[in-house]
Amino acid sequence: MIDFTIIGGGIAGASTAYHLAKKGYAVRLYDRNDTGKATEASAGIICPWVSQRRNKKWYALVRESAKYYPEFIEALKAETGLDSGYRREGSISLFKDDHVQELAFKRISAKQADAPEMGTVRKVSREEVAQMHPDLTDLYPGVLVEGGGQVKGAELLKALKAGFLKYGGEWINGEFDPSNASGTLIYATGAWGIEQQHEPHIRHQRSEVLHFRLKDSNNKQPRPVVMALGPIYIVEMGINQYAIGTTHEDTDSFSAEPSEENYRYLRDLAERYFPDSTIEDIKMMVGLKPYARDFLPFIGAVDDRTIVINGMGATGLTASPLVGREVANHLTGQDTVLDLNDFSYL
């Protein structure tokens, strides 16, 4: 007998499945593997403390999520032997001038008391930015958060799937048939949540990311994540390989084809931030990121048998591992760190 049926094989669905199976429950997951899944295209920045969002419920979610990451990754790697690409080389946020840098430093460092896992926070001069990231432009001062990190979404998903299967889970590549449903249903269908008839209402954005390499760079050391102006991010994906993004386009389309306009925009940004380098394109990637009301994730019951996890948006890779654990704990009568009532707002 199946205790839980999960529909959706992104990070949120896979994390929930993994945590439930690890507790000894019978879990079946259906994954349609739709093209455009946000997991595949995200650069996976784990540095929520630099955000200027004022929503306290959202910040509590991402702060606890970043805190959970090292423990979660260590356990998952021990269980599967797989590397998710998680590493903490710090994060540099760039600012247009010294005045804005000072304001940002005060804002970010004020969060340390409640989030010691963010590590040291300090201002870095233009010269220090160039020392830490030699190929990057030296036009802007920055703020370094030493606890900032990154994870590779596709690799993390492989590790979660392997962990889920190790604990006896059943992963089905294909369409879910409601007539064969068993146990509690958990929908984690991302942008495709619009196909379900129940609330909450889900909308989505197309986000495009350019992957490229620096052909003439000899740097071998890992580089920190860069939160550039815009806001734009630059994330090292391999030796002298980077992803720069992202665009945000409200849409009803489920096309995952890159646009020439957004390619040109991101390519121009890459040339702006690496002005002395020869840039070679690798690929463009498109992810469809789901959003619910007020850009706040929805986590809750929509009827006596159905749970929905959706609307993770741009923080899906940061928050989904913790959300999976919290939902698993809630459904099995264990304590949660978060008050899930904050995210069940129907």
Side-chain angles (χ1 to χ4, degrees):
M1 179 178 177
I2 299 297
D3 297 309
F4 298 96
T5 297
I6 296 175
I7 304 94
I11 299 295
S15 176
T16 305
Y18 160 77
H19 283 94
L20 284 168
K22 191 172 181 177
K23 294 176 182 294
Y25 291 89
V27 186
R28 178 181 292 156
L29 183 148
Y30 289 86
D31 180 21
R32 252 181 10 192
N33 199 27
D34 293 291
T35 302
K37 188 184 295 184
T39 298
E40 304 292 335
S42 175
I45 300 166
I46 315 297
C47 192
W49 316 284
V50 303
S51 173
Q52 297 189 61
R53 284 188 63 179
R54 297 179 181 273
N55 188 303
K56 293 182 180 179
K57 295 176 182 179
W58 173 86
Y59 182 67
L61 169 63
V62 294
R63 184 191 65 216
E64 290 294 339
S65 298
K67 182 179 179 180
Y68 178 51
Y69 242 94
E71 170 194 338
F72 163 70
I73 293 294
E74 183 178 355
L76 191 59
K77 188 170 184 178
E79 292 159 354
T80 67
L82 297 178
D83 183 5
S84 63
Y86 177 71
R87 56 186 178 87
R88 301 173 75 186
E89 300 296 337
S91 169
I92 301 175
S93 297
L94 302 180
F95 300 97
K96 65 178 183 179
D97 57 40
D98 295 339
H99 174 67
V100 179
Q101 177 202 37
E102 177 64 25
L103 295 175
F105 170 72
K106 291 178 179 178
R107 173 178 57 81
I108 296 169
S109 59
K111 299 179 180 180
Q112 282 181 294
D114 293 328
E117 59 276 4
M118 66 192 289
T120 300
V121 179
R122 62 183 179 89
K123 293 185 289 185
V124 288
S125 66
R126 294 164 177 79
E127 293 75 19
E128 289 176 298
V129 170
Q131 291 170 6
M132 299 174 69
H133 214 306
D135 293 305
L136 193 69
T137 179
D138 61 358
L139 290 179
Y140 309 109
V143 173
L144 173 69
V145 177
E146 291 189 344
Q150 66 182 89
V151 68
K152 294 182 179 178
E155 300 305 312
L156 176 58
L157 186 57
K158 289 179 184 177
L160 275 169
K161 182 177 180 180
F164 172 58
L165 295 175
K166 175 179 178 176
Y167 287 112
E170 182 182 1
W171 188 291
I172 297 175
N173 291 310
E175 189 83 35
F176 168 63
D177 181 357
S179 67
N180 294 327
S182 179
T184 299
L185 304 183
I186 303 172
Y187 282 88
T189 50
W192 292 268
I194 197 171
E195 296 176 7
Q196 280 88 64
Q197 298 303 308
H198 48 64
E199 293 290 336
H201 174 69
I202 298 297
R203 63 191 188 281
H204 66 272
Q205 293 181 343
R206 274 173 51 96
S207 297
E208 299 191 40
V209 180
L210 171 64
H211 291 248
F212 62 94
R213 65 172 53 89
L214 304 182
K215 291 184 64 176
D216 49 2
S217 176
N218 295 315
N219 291 310
K220 304 294 183 183
Q221 297 300 313
R223 303 300 176 196
V225 169
V226 176
M227 310 298 287
L229 280 63
I232 292 295
Y233 62 69
I234 302 168
V235 182
E236 187 177 50
M237 305 300 288
I239 297 177
N240 297 322
Q241 296 184 18
Y242 295 90
I244 188 167
T246 180
T247 62
H248 301 276
E249 177 188 353
D250 292 327
T251 182
D252 294 325
S253 169
F254 284 84
S255 170
E257 288 297 317
S259 72
E260 179 63 27
E261 179 183 1
N262 285 329
Y263 162 71
R264 193 68 260 166
Y265 167 69
L266 293 173
R267 176 65 192 234
D268 288 348
L269 284 173
E271 293 171 357
R272 170 184 170 186
Y273 283 101
F274 295 93
D276 300 321
S277 298
T278 302
I279 295 172
E280 179 180 73
D281 297 342
I282 298 175
K283 59 184 174 182
M284 284 281 287
M285 297 194 72
V286 178
L288 305 178
K289 295 184 178 179
Y291 293 90
R293 193 184 78 187
D294 302 328
F295 291 89
L296 186 69
F298 180 88
I299 308 164
V302 297
D303 60 41
D304 292 342
R305 192 188 175 195
T306 308
I307 306 295
V308 169
I309 305 169
N310 214 327
M312 306 297 283
T315 52
L317 273 177
T318 295
S320 291
L322 178 75
V323 166
R325 186 196 73 181
E326 295 290 273
V327 170
N329 284 352
H330 174 72
L331 292 176
T332 58
Q334 296 180 277
D335 291 339
T336 60
V337 173
L338 298 172
D339 182 353
L340 293 185
N341 291 320
D342 287 341
F343 305 93
S344 181
Y345 44 74
L346 288 181

